[in-house]
């Protein structure tokens, strides 16, 4: 198994307009259906050994393991088109296909936020995790893709922990709330009014909740949408006819409707200000076109901000994120190399385990022979028995440690197979032939750890009977599924 068997088929905001992305979008149930069909086809035709799908509003990507990537890519594109009731030719122009290292690097870029519509956005990391978990639950993903997605998640977490790629908000909604907090102070003592119920309104409401806003009022032309937003964010929905009342009680207004013209006139706001008894009102207009009449700026006690006011902050923050891109790419390179080394090391792990077993078998024979002599007169002396066994185990571990490390290094350089074969001939090892369907078992992992491999980090996770490890502690052995 080498990197060339890793396949990516996808479309995203880089290659497809929103209308196309919407047409080929998949909800959770649709994604499970797609994985099920692709995996079953793979089992029958031996084309797809493993498959995982990542679906967001801006991308649909299918990652697969196949020894026939060209045929597999054709099968994936065809099935996506079939499930959306369209011809494959209509989908193909928007699709990109990557194999091997480019496919690996792409997933790491995605998880790190470098391939997102908004640079460094954090939501994609959770979506990558969801893709991994869905494939695991469906039984579509095996040890290779599981390890790949775990490595991608680790890479994404490192990028956000070690760099500023996700620091400094670039969301208009979050920027508005941040500015409101700077003006009003502790939001837990304030009341906010959200106009609108779309994505920007949702983000603003969520940000206000994060800052523990005391009261959140939601108003939208479509009452059901206002009620839905209120239910999601713990707010209270009002009717559009209650807008004047809400303007009197709120300390903060964030307007993000999709109205074609202004919804808050200077006269409406002036009327509310007269009833506020001198209390100031902070207003953020994050709609396009604008919702709030700019003439409210002339009203005493009103502070209004629109997209132009917030853009400077967003541009500065985006610049800070862009400055972190080289650091993130360095992390991606490290993690990609580590995954490639792990993948290469898999080819020699059967030889390592076989060598370990041979050493243990010889050590056990000699240990028992020695103990029979030493314990001839004191057969119940457990202290001597354990000390001799520990001595034999230490000798085996130290003797085999260097060959293990060197064999892994040879595998990383691409010539591990020939050295594993030489090892097998020199020590008369019985090494099972690799299978097209492989897994890493916990029993094999334990054997390999005890053989002297470096392992400084804990086991990442386990799925069913398979366990997956980081490359610096490739503690696994092939097992036929």
């Amino acid at each position: 198994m080498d990197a060339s068997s890793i396949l990516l088929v996808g479309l995203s905001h880089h290659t497809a307009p929103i209308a196309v992305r919407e047409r080929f979008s998949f909800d959770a149930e649709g994604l499970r259906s797609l994985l099920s069909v692709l995996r079953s086809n793979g089992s029958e035709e031996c084309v797809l050994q493993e498959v995982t799908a990542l679906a967001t509003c801006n991308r649909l990507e299918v990652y697969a393991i196949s020894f026939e990537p060209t045929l597999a890519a054709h099968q994936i594109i065809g099935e996506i088109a079939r499930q959306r009731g369209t011809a494959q030719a209509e989908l193909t122009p928007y699709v990109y296909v990557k194999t091997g290292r480019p496919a690996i690097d792409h997933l790491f870029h995605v998880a790190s936020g470098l391939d997102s519509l908004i640079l460094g956005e954090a939501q994609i990391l959770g979506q990558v995790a969801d893709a991994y978990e869905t494939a695991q639950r469906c039984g579509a993903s095996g040890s290779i893709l599981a390890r790949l997605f775990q490595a991608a998640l680790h890479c994404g977490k490192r990028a956000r922990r070690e760099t500023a790629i996700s620091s400094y908000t670039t969301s208009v909604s979050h920027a508005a709330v941040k500015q409101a907090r700077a003006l009003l102070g502790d939001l837990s003592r304030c009341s906010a009014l959200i106009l609108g119920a779309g994505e920007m309104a949702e983000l603003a409401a969520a940000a206000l909740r994060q800052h523990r806003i005391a009261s959140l009022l939601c108003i939208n032309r479509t009452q059901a949408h206002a009620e839905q937003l209120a239910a999601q964010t713990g707010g209270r929905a009002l009717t559009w006819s209650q807008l004047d009342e809400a303007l009197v009680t709120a300390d903060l207004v964030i307007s993000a409707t999709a109205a074609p013209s202004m919804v808050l006139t200077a006269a409406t706001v002036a009327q509310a200000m007269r009833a506020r008894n001198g209390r100031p009102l902070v207003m953020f207009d994050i709609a396009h076109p604008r919702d709030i009449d700019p003439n409210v700026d002339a009203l005493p006690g009103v502070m209004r901000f629109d997209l132009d006011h917030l853009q400077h902050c967003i541009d500065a923050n985006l610049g800070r994120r862009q400055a972190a891109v080289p650091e993130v790419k360095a992390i991606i390179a490290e993690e990609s190399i580590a995954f490639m080394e792990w993948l290469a090391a898999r080819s020699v792990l059967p030889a390592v385990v076989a060598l370990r077993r041979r050493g243990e078998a010889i050590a056990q024979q000699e240990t028992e022979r020695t103990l029979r002599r030493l314990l001839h007169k004191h057969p119940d002396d457990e202290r001597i028995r354990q000390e001799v066994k520990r001595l034999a185990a230490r000798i085996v571990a130290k003797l085999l440690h260097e060959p293990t490390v060197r064999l892994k290094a040879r595998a990383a350089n691409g010539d591990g197979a020939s050295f594993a074969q030489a090892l097998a001939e020199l020590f008369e090892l019985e090494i099972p032939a690799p299978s097209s369907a492989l897994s890493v078992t916990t029993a094999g992992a334990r054997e390999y750890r005890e053989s002297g491999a470096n392992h400084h980090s804990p086991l990442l996770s386990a799925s069913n009977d398979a366990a997956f490890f980081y490359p610096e502690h490739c503690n696994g052995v092939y097992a036929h599924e």
Side-chain angles (χ1 to χ4, degrees), residues 10-17 21 58-61 94 96 115:
L11 60 88
S12 73
H13 56 282
H14 295 300
T15 63
R21 301 200 303 274
N58 287 318
R59 73 179 67 250
L60 171 64
E61 294 181 342
Y94 304 103
Y96 45 86
D115 198 64

Side-chain angles (χ1 to χ4, degrees), residues 35-365:
L35 289 174
S36 177
V37 172
L38 289 175
R39 188 65 185 94
S40 63
N41 286 346
S43 297
E44 294 169 1
E45 303 171 15
C46 296
V47 174
L48 293 169
Q49 278 66 49
E50 303 179 28
V51 61
T52 301
L54 171 61
T56 74
C57 58
N58 287 318
R59 73 179 67 250
L60 171 64
E61 294 181 342
V62 176
Y63 293 83
I65 301 298
S66 176
F67 298 105
E68 300 179 66
T70 301
L71 182 59
H74 181 80
Q75 178 179 315
I76 291 168
I77 296 170
E79 183 57 31
I80 293 172
R82 189 192 69 79
Q83 293 209 11
R84 286 297 169 265
T86 188
Q88 184 169 337
E90 293 186 33
L91 173 61
T92 302
Y94 304 103
V95 167
Y96 45 86
V97 177
K98 300 176 187 287
T99 59
R101 180 70 179 271
I104 296 167
D105 287 347
H106 180 86
L107 179 58
F108 289 3
H109 275 75
V110 169
S112 299
L114 295 193
D115 198 64
S116 297
L117 188 61
I118 299 175
L119 180 67
E121 61 101 356
Q123 187 179 11
I124 186 63
L125 196 58
Q127 292 166 332
V128 171
D130 289 343
Y132 163 70
E133 291 172 4
T134 297
Q136 289 289 295
R137 286 194 297 267
C138 293
S141 175
S143 58
I144 301 295
L145 287 185
R147 174 63 184 86
L148 175 62
F149 270 72
Q150 287 179 339
L153 290 169
H154 178 66
C155 182
K157 290 175 183 177
R158 276 194 64 192
R160 289 163 175 83
R161 184 176 64 247
E162 298 175 21
T163 78
I165 194 62
S166 290
S167 302
Y168 313 107
T169 182
T170 57
S171 160
V172 172
S173 300
H174 283 78
V177 173
K178 183 178 180 181
Q179 181 67 20
R181 190 168 181 268
L183 293 168
L184 297 171
D186 186 1
L187 294 183
S188 66
R189 301 175 181 176
C190 299
S191 173
L193 167 62
I194 299 285
L195 293 180
E199 181 179 0
M200 294 177 71
E202 289 180 10
L203 290 172
L208 287 169
R209 272 302 171 202
Q210 287 175 357
H211 289 285
R212 295 182 172 86
I213 192 74
S215 173
L216 182 61
L217 305 175
C218 303
I219 294 180
N220 190 62
R221 291 284 188 187
T222 303
Q223 179 66 13
H225 294 168
E227 291 173 352
Q228 183 179 7
L229 177 59
Q232 291 173 350
T233 57
R236 183 162 62 96
L238 300 180
T239 64
W240 193 265
S241 63
Q242 293 174 289
L243 177 57
D244 292 343
E245 172 190 334
L247 288 174
V248 173
T249 60
D251 301 296
L252 165 66
V253 175
I254 298 180
S255 191
T257 77
S261 58
M262 294 178 184
V263 298
L264 284 178
T265 65
T268 299
V269 177
Q271 180 181 339
M273 294 306 294
R274 286 193 291 271
R276 291 174 65 87
N277 297 320
R279 287 172 45 239
L281 178 61
V282 178
M283 309 184 77
F284 286 91
D285 186 351
I286 58 175
H288 183 76
R290 290 179 294 182
D291 279 342
I292 304 173
D293 186 349
N295 290 321
V296 304
D297 294 349
L299 298 175
V302 176
M303 289 178 282
R304 181 192 66 91
F305 302 87
D306 59 22
L307 291 175
D308 288 343
H309 292 104
L310 296 171
Q311 195 61 48
H312 174 72
C313 173
I314 293 172
D315 288 344
N317 289 345
L318 183 58
R320 294 187 181 101
R321 288 191 177 190
Q322 288 173 334
V325 169
E327 296 176 74
V328 176
K329 287 185 175 180
I331 291 173
I332 290 172
E334 291 175 11
E335 295 297 329
S336 180
I337 290 171
F339 177 81
M340 295 288 288
E341 290 175 347
W342 175 85
L343 195 60
R346 287 174 61 96
S347 64
V348 299
L349 293 184
V352 171
V353 174
L355 180 62
R356 171 71 184 183
R357 286 173 175 166
R358 172 57 61 85
E360 284 181 341
I362 294 172
Q364 184 176 355
Q365 292 174 359

